[in-house]
Short mmCIF file of all heavy atoms in Angstrom, two decimals:
data_model
loop_
_atom_site.label_atom_id
_atom_site.label_comp_id
_atom_site.label_asym_id
_atom_site.label_seq_id
_atom_site.Cartn_x
_atom_site.Cartn_y
_atom_site.Cartn_z
N PRO J 1205 85.35 10.45 -100.15
CA PRO J 1205 85.18 9.05 -100.57
C PRO J 1205 85.33 8.02 -99.45
O PRO J 1205 84.63 7.02 -99.43
CB PRO J 1205 86.26 8.86 -101.64
CG PRO J 1205 86.43 10.23 -102.22
CD PRO J 1205 86.25 11.18 -101.06
N ASN J 1206 86.20 8.30 -98.47
CA ASN J 1206 86.38 7.34 -97.37
C ASN J 1206 85.20 7.32 -96.40
O ASN J 1206 85.14 6.49 -95.50
CB ASN J 1206 87.70 7.59 -96.62
CG ASN J 1206 87.76 8.98 -96.00
OD1 ASN J 1206 86.85 9.79 -96.13
ND2 ASN J 1206 88.86 9.25 -95.32
N GLN J 1207 84.24 8.25 -96.60
CA GLN J 1207 83.04 8.28 -95.75
C GLN J 1207 81.82 7.66 -96.44
O GLN J 1207 80.78 7.52 -95.81
CB GLN J 1207 82.67 9.74 -95.41
CG GLN J 1207 83.68 10.46 -94.54
CD GLN J 1207 83.22 11.89 -94.28
OE1 GLN J 1207 82.92 12.63 -95.21
NE2 GLN J 1207 83.14 12.25 -93.01
N TYR J 1208 81.95 7.32 -97.70
CA TYR J 1208 80.78 6.87 -98.47
C TYR J 1208 80.03 5.73 -97.80
O TYR J 1208 78.81 5.78 -97.64
CB TYR J 1208 81.18 6.44 -99.89
CG TYR J 1208 81.60 7.56 -100.81
CD1 TYR J 1208 82.25 7.29 -102.01
CD2 TYR J 1208 81.36 8.90 -100.51
CE1 TYR J 1208 82.63 8.30 -102.89
CE2 TYR J 1208 81.75 9.92 -101.37
CZ TYR J 1208 82.39 9.61 -102.56
OH TYR J 1208 82.77 10.61 -103.42
N GLN J 1209 80.75 4.68 -97.39
CA GLN J 1209 80.09 3.51 -96.82
C GLN J 1209 79.35 3.86 -95.53
O GLN J 1209 78.21 3.44 -95.32
CB GLN J 1209 81.11 2.39 -96.55
CG GLN J 1209 80.49 1.06 -96.12
CD GLN J 1209 79.55 0.47 -97.17
OE1 GLN J 1209 79.90 0.39 -98.34
NE2 GLN J 1209 78.36 0.07 -96.75
N MET J 1210 79.98 4.65 -94.69
CA MET J 1210 79.36 5.05 -93.42
C MET J 1210 78.10 5.87 -93.67
O MET J 1210 77.07 5.68 -93.03
CB MET J 1210 80.38 5.85 -92.59
CG MET J 1210 79.85 6.36 -91.26
SD MET J 1210 79.08 8.01 -91.35
CE MET J 1210 80.51 9.05 -91.63
N ILE J 1211 78.16 6.77 -94.64
CA ILE J 1211 77.00 7.64 -94.92
C ILE J 1211 75.87 6.83 -95.55
O ILE J 1211 74.70 7.07 -95.25
CB ILE J 1211 77.43 8.83 -95.79
CG1 ILE J 1211 78.36 9.68 -94.97
CG2 ILE J 1211 76.22 9.60 -96.32
CD1 ILE J 1211 78.68 11.02 -95.24
N VAL J 1212 76.21 5.88 -96.39
CA VAL J 1212 75.18 5.00 -96.97
C VAL J 1212 74.45 4.25 -95.85
O VAL J 1212 73.22 4.17 -95.83
CB VAL J 1212 75.80 4.03 -98.00
CG1 VAL J 1212 74.85 2.89 -98.35
CG2 VAL J 1212 76.20 4.78 -99.27
N GLN J 1213 75.21 3.70 -94.91
CA GLN J 1213 74.61 2.96 -93.78
C GLN J 1213 73.73 3.89 -92.93
O GLN J 1213 72.64 3.52 -92.51
CB GLN J 1213 75.71 2.36 -92.90
CG GLN J 1213 76.57 1.31 -93.58
CD GLN J 1213 75.83 -0.01 -93.80
OE1 GLN J 1213 74.79 -0.26 -93.20
NE2 GLN J 1213 76.36 -0.84 -94.68
N ARG J 1214 74.23 5.09 -92.68
CA ARG J 1214 73.48 6.07 -91.89
C ARG J 1214 72.21 6.50 -92.63
O ARG J 1214 71.17 6.70 -92.00
CB ARG J 1214 74.40 7.27 -91.61
CG ARG J 1214 73.87 8.26 -90.59
CD ARG J 1214 75.02 9.16 -90.13
NE ARG J 1214 74.69 10.57 -90.13
CZ ARG J 1214 74.16 11.22 -89.11
NH1 ARG J 1214 73.86 10.59 -87.99
NH2 ARG J 1214 73.91 12.52 -89.19
N THR J 1215 72.30 6.62 -93.94
CA THR J 1215 71.12 6.95 -94.76
C THR J 1215 70.03 5.91 -94.56
O THR J 1215 68.85 6.24 -94.34
CB THR J 1215 71.50 7.05 -96.25
OG1 THR J 1215 72.47 8.08 -96.43
CG2 THR J 1215 70.29 7.33 -97.13
N ARG J 1216 70.43 4.63 -94.58
CA ARG J 1216 69.44 3.56 -94.41
C ARG J 1216 68.84 3.59 -93.00
O ARG J 1216 67.64 3.39 -92.82
CB ARG J 1216 70.08 2.19 -94.66
CG ARG J 1216 69.11 1.02 -94.55
CD ARG J 1216 68.07 1.07 -95.66
NE ARG J 1216 66.76 0.68 -95.20
CZ ARG J 1216 65.75 0.34 -95.99
NH1 ARG J 1216 65.90 0.33 -97.29
NH2 ARG J 1216 64.59 0.02 -95.50
N SER J 1217 69.68 3.84 -92.02
CA SER J 1217 69.21 3.89 -90.63
C SER J 1217 68.18 5.01 -90.43
O SER J 1217 67.14 4.81 -89.80
CB SER J 1217 70.41 4.07 -89.69
OG SER J 1217 69.98 4.19 -88.36
N ILE J 1218 68.48 6.18 -90.98
CA ILE J 1218 67.55 7.31 -90.87
C ILE J 1218 66.26 7.00 -91.62
O ILE J 1218 65.16 7.28 -91.12
CB ILE J 1218 68.22 8.61 -91.39
CG1 ILE J 1218 69.33 9.04 -90.41
CG2 ILE J 1218 67.20 9.73 -91.58
CD1 ILE J 1218 70.23 10.14 -90.92
N TYR J 1219 66.39 6.42 -92.79
CA TYR J 1219 65.20 6.05 -93.57
C TYR J 1219 64.32 5.06 -92.80
O TYR J 1219 63.09 5.20 -92.77
CB TYR J 1219 65.63 5.45 -94.92
CG TYR J 1219 64.48 5.06 -95.80
CD1 TYR J 1219 63.89 5.98 -96.66
CD2 TYR J 1219 63.97 3.76 -95.77
CE1 TYR J 1219 62.83 5.62 -97.47
CE2 TYR J 1219 62.91 3.40 -96.58
CZ TYR J 1219 62.34 4.33 -97.42
OH TYR J 1219 61.28 3.97 -98.23
N ASP J 1220 64.95 4.08 -92.16
CA ASP J 1220 64.20 3.09 -91.37
C ASP J 1220 63.42 3.76 -90.24
O ASP J 1220 62.28 3.38 -89.94
CB ASP J 1220 65.14 2.02 -90.79
CG ASP J 1220 65.63 1.04 -91.86
OD1 ASP J 1220 64.99 0.97 -92.94
OD2 ASP J 1220 66.64 0.38 -91.63
N ASN J 1221 64.03 4.76 -89.60
CA ASN J 1221 63.35 5.51 -88.55
C ASN J 1221 62.17 6.31 -89.10
O ASN J 1221 61.12 6.39 -88.47
CB ASN J 1221 64.33 6.43 -87.82
CG ASN J 1221 65.10 5.70 -86.75
OD1 ASN J 1221 64.53 5.18 -85.79
ND2 ASN J 1221 66.41 5.61 -86.91
N MET J 1222 62.37 6.90 -90.27
CA MET J 1222 61.27 7.61 -90.94
C MET J 1222 60.11 6.65 -91.20
O MET J 1222 58.94 6.97 -90.95
CB MET J 1222 61.73 8.18 -92.30
CG MET J 1222 62.69 9.33 -92.26
SD MET J 1222 63.15 9.72 -93.98
CE MET J 1222 64.19 11.13 -93.74
N LYS J 1223 60.47 5.48 -91.71
CA LYS J 1223 59.47 4.46 -92.07
C LYS J 1223 58.73 3.96 -90.82
O LYS J 1223 57.53 3.71 -90.86
CB LYS J 1223 60.16 3.30 -92.78
CG LYS J 1223 59.24 2.30 -93.44
CD LYS J 1223 58.88 2.75 -94.82
CE LYS J 1223 58.09 1.67 -95.54
NZ LYS J 1223 57.35 2.22 -96.70
N GLN J 1224 59.47 3.83 -89.74
CA GLN J 1224 58.86 3.36 -88.49
C GLN J 1224 57.82 4.36 -87.99
O GLN J 1224 56.75 3.98 -87.52
CB GLN J 1224 59.95 3.15 -87.44
CG GLN J 1224 59.44 2.49 -86.17
CD GLN J 1224 60.57 2.19 -85.19
OE1 GLN J 1224 61.75 2.30 -85.52
NE2 GLN J 1224 60.22 1.82 -83.98
N ASN J 1225 58.14 5.65 -88.11
CA ASN J 1225 57.22 6.69 -87.65
C ASN J 1225 56.05 6.92 -88.61
O ASN J 1225 54.95 7.26 -88.18
CB ASN J 1225 57.97 8.01 -87.45
CG ASN J 1225 58.87 7.97 -86.24
OD1 ASN J 1225 58.64 7.22 -85.29
ND2 ASN J 1225 59.93 8.77 -86.26
N HIS J 1226 56.32 6.74 -89.92
CA HIS J 1226 55.28 7.00 -90.92
C HIS J 1226 55.32 5.92 -92.01
O HIS J 1226 55.77 6.18 -93.13
CB HIS J 1226 55.47 8.39 -91.55
CG HIS J 1226 55.41 9.49 -90.56
ND1 HIS J 1226 54.22 9.97 -90.04
CD2 HIS J 1226 56.40 10.21 -89.95
CE1 HIS J 1226 54.48 10.94 -89.18
NE2 HIS J 1226 55.78 11.09 -89.09
N PRO J 1227 54.86 4.71 -91.69
CA PRO J 1227 54.98 3.59 -92.63
C PRO J 1227 54.27 3.81 -93.96
O PRO J 1227 54.72 3.31 -94.99
CB PRO J 1227 54.40 2.40 -91.86
CG PRO J 1227 53.63 2.98 -90.73
CD PRO J 1227 54.23 4.31 -90.43
N PHE J 1228 53.17 4.53 -93.96
CA PHE J 1228 52.41 4.71 -95.20
C PHE J 1228 52.85 5.94 -96.00
O PHE J 1228 52.60 6.02 -97.19
CB PHE J 1228 50.90 4.79 -94.90
CG PHE J 1228 50.37 3.54 -94.25
CD1 PHE J 1228 49.95 3.55 -92.92
CD2 PHE J 1228 50.33 2.34 -94.94
CE1 PHE J 1228 49.49 2.40 -92.32
CE2 PHE J 1228 49.87 1.19 -94.35
CZ PHE J 1228 49.44 1.21 -93.03
N LEU J 1229 53.51 6.87 -95.34
CA LEU J 1229 53.95 8.09 -96.03
C LEU J 1229 55.36 7.95 -96.59
O LEU J 1229 55.69 8.55 -97.60
CB LEU J 1229 53.92 9.29 -95.07
CG LEU J 1229 52.56 9.77 -94.58
CD1 LEU J 1229 52.73 10.94 -93.62
CD2 LEU J 1229 51.67 10.17 -95.75
N THR J 1230 56.21 7.18 -95.92
CA THR J 1230 57.61 7.08 -96.31
C THR J 1230 57.76 6.15 -97.51
O THR J 1230 57.30 5.02 -97.49
CB THR J 1230 58.46 6.57 -95.13
OG1 THR J 1230 58.23 7.41 -94.00
CG2 THR J 1230 59.94 6.60 -95.48
N SER J 1231 58.42 6.68 -98.56
CA SER J 1231 58.63 5.88 -99.78
C SER J 1231 59.99 6.22 -100.36
O SER J 1231 60.77 6.96 -99.75
CB SER J 1231 57.51 6.17 -100.79
OG SER J 1231 57.54 7.53 -101.14
N SER J 1232 60.28 5.72 -101.56
CA SER J 1232 61.61 5.88 -102.16
C SER J 1232 62.01 7.35 -102.31
O SER J 1232 63.19 7.68 -102.26
CB SER J 1232 61.67 5.18 -103.52
OG SER J 1232 60.66 5.68 -104.37
N GLU J 1233 61.03 8.25 -102.47
CA GLU J 1233 61.37 9.66 -102.63
C GLU J 1233 62.03 10.23 -101.38
O GLU J 1233 62.73 11.24 -101.45
CB GLU J 1233 60.13 10.48 -102.99
CG GLU J 1233 59.08 10.54 -101.90
CD GLU J 1233 57.76 11.11 -102.39
OE1 GLU J 1233 57.10 10.44 -103.20
OE2 GLU J 1233 57.40 12.21 -101.95
N ASP J 1234 61.83 9.59 -100.23
CA ASP J 1234 62.43 10.07 -98.98
C ASP J 1234 63.89 9.66 -98.82
O ASP J 1234 64.56 10.12 -97.89
CB ASP J 1234 61.61 9.57 -97.79
CG ASP J 1234 60.21 10.18 -97.78
OD1 ASP J 1234 60.10 11.41 -97.68
OD2 ASP J 1234 59.23 9.42 -97.90
N SER J 1235 64.38 8.80 -99.71
CA SER J 1235 65.79 8.39 -99.62
C SER J 1235 66.73 9.57 -99.79
O SER J 1235 67.79 9.64 -99.17
CB SER J 1235 66.11 7.29 -100.64
OG SER J 1235 65.87 7.74 -101.96
N GLY J 1236 66.35 10.54 -100.65
CA GLY J 1236 67.18 11.73 -100.84
C GLY J 1236 67.27 12.57 -99.58
O GLY J 1236 68.35 13.05 -99.21
N PHE J 1237 66.13 12.73 -98.89
CA PHE J 1237 66.13 13.47 -97.62
C PHE J 1237 66.95 12.72 -96.57
O PHE J 1237 67.68 13.33 -95.80
CB PHE J 1237 64.71 13.67 -97.11
CG PHE J 1237 63.90 14.65 -97.91
CD1 PHE J 1237 62.75 14.24 -98.56
CD2 PHE J 1237 64.28 15.98 -98.02
CE1 PHE J 1237 61.99 15.13 -99.30
CE2 PHE J 1237 63.54 16.89 -98.75
CZ PHE J 1237 62.38 16.46 -99.40
N ALA J 1238 66.81 11.40 -96.54
CA ALA J 1238 67.58 10.60 -95.59
C ALA J 1238 69.08 10.77 -95.82
O ALA J 1238 69.87 10.88 -94.87
CB ALA J 1238 67.19 9.12 -95.69
N ALA J 1239 69.48 10.84 -97.11
CA ALA J 1239 70.90 11.04 -97.43
C ALA J 1239 71.38 12.40 -96.96
O ALA J 1239 72.47 12.53 -96.39
CB ALA J 1239 71.12 10.88 -98.93
N LEU J 1240 70.57 13.44 -97.18
CA LEU J 1240 70.96 14.79 -96.74
C LEU J 1240 71.09 14.85 -95.22
O LEU J 1240 72.01 15.48 -94.69
CB LEU J 1240 69.94 15.82 -97.23
CG LEU J 1240 69.96 16.10 -98.73
CD1 LEU J 1240 68.80 17.01 -99.11
CD2 LEU J 1240 71.29 16.72 -99.16
N LEU J 1241 70.18 14.19 -94.51
CA LEU J 1241 70.27 14.14 -93.05
C LEU J 1241 71.49 13.35 -92.61
O LEU J 1241 72.16 13.71 -91.64
CB LEU J 1241 68.98 13.55 -92.46
CG LEU J 1241 67.77 14.48 -92.52
CD1 LEU J 1241 66.47 13.69 -92.41
CD2 LEU J 1241 67.85 15.54 -91.43
#
């Protein structure tokens, strides 16, 4: 639980990088993969 905030922020950062590389392919379904990463 003490890592939740950090992991949420990291999830968004990874998602943003995915979106930057593939703006048309990356969508909400990729948020789960971003969280796992």
